[in-house]
Amino acid sequence: MIAEIGLFALILALLLALAQGTLPLIGAARGDAALMAVGRSAAYGQLVFLGIAYAMLTFAFVTDDFSIAYVANHSNSLLPTQYKISGVWGGHEGSLLLWVLILGFWSAAVATFSRSLPREVLARVLGVMGLIAVGFIGFTVFTSSPFERLLPAAIEGRDLNPMLQDPGLIIHPPMLYMGYVGFSVAFAFSIAALIGGRLDAAWARWSRPWTAVAWAFLTVGIGL
């Protein structure tokens, strides 16, 4: 049931991303406060379900569930636990899952720490981030799911790429992704400014702290 729970959580996250990417933008265009408020709730819900999906895949790695093709291809029962955990992002499908989880984190962070913004601006920013999430989560669900079953289950896994079995590479990809994905916030602010026709210094000032944090994460990731 682990794979099925993970996939179901991903699908629910996709539906919430779709709501986040459409309803706040419609609300901002109409001046509808109720629709604009959906963006914040959808961002939180999306992060919860992405977290569940990621937790399910991590659990499958730690418990050596080789009935999941991705686990069988990127883990082994003799692999140390720390590399089983980092093995979650050891391949394409798991890397995408980490990517969308971090994207969900950034959306929730914007929803939490940007309450002082004009509500139309915040709604547009969250709406754009929701549309970005639709693209990435949809790609993960429909073309790169890490929850595909392997029937019959493998007796043993193929092992994690030896190049990734290094302490530095346990923290390197998350830091790098935090930086890469963090720039989606700056992108969302710029698109929101274009939609609102407000190309002044204000939107740059609002986006600057987010850009600086993303830049810092990217610097740490590249350094590692």
Side-chain angles (χ1 to χ4, degrees), residues 62-84:
V62 172
T63 58
D64 300 321
D65 187 351
F66 299 131
S67 69
I68 299 176
Y70 182 74
V71 178
N73 286 326
H74 298 283
S75 188
N76 185 284
S77 61
L78 299 179
L79 198 65
T81 301
Q82 66 268 28
Y83 294 130
K84 289 182 180 180

Side-chain angles (χ1 to χ4, degrees), residues 16-174:
L16 284 171
L18 188 60
Q20 181 185 333
T22 53
L23 298 180
L25 293 175
I26 294 172
R30 296 180 177 178
D32 189 323
L35 288 178
M36 285 189 279
V38 170
R40 183 178 288 115
S41 300
Y44 294 145
Q46 185 187 150
L47 178 59
V48 168
F49 286 115
L50 289 172
I52 291 172
Y54 191 85
M56 291 300 100
L57 188 59
T58 302
F59 182 77
F61 267 83
V62 172
T63 58
D64 300 321
D65 187 351
F66 299 131
S67 69
I68 299 176
Y70 182 74
V71 178
N73 286 326
H74 298 283
S75 188
N76 185 284
S77 61
L78 299 179
L79 198 65
T81 301
Q82 66 268 28
Y83 294 130
K84 289 182 180 180
I85 295 173
S86 63
V88 174
W89 57 78
H92 169 71
E93 295 87 348
S95 291
L96 272 174
L97 185 58
L98 177 62
W99 185 282
V100 296
L101 175 65
I102 291 174
L103 182 58
F105 167 80
W106 279 107
S107 286
V110 171
T112 301
F113 297 109
S114 296
R115 296 175 183 270
S116 60
L117 291 179
R119 63 183 183 182
E120 291 84 2
V121 173
L122 179 58
R124 292 187 181 109
V125 171
L126 290 175
V128 173
M129 295 198 71
L131 292 175
I132 296 172
V134 168
F136 279 105
I137 300 174
F139 184 75
T140 304
V141 169
F142 295 113
T143 71
S144 302
S145 174
F147 297 108
E148 289 186 3
R149 285 291 188 182
L150 182 63
L151 298 174
I155 297 174
E156 185 57 273
R158 290 183 176 178
D159 200 10
L160 179 65
N161 184 340
M163 292 180 64
L164 300 179
Q165 296 182 36
D166 180 89
L169 286 166
I170 293 176
I171 191 64
H172 162 68

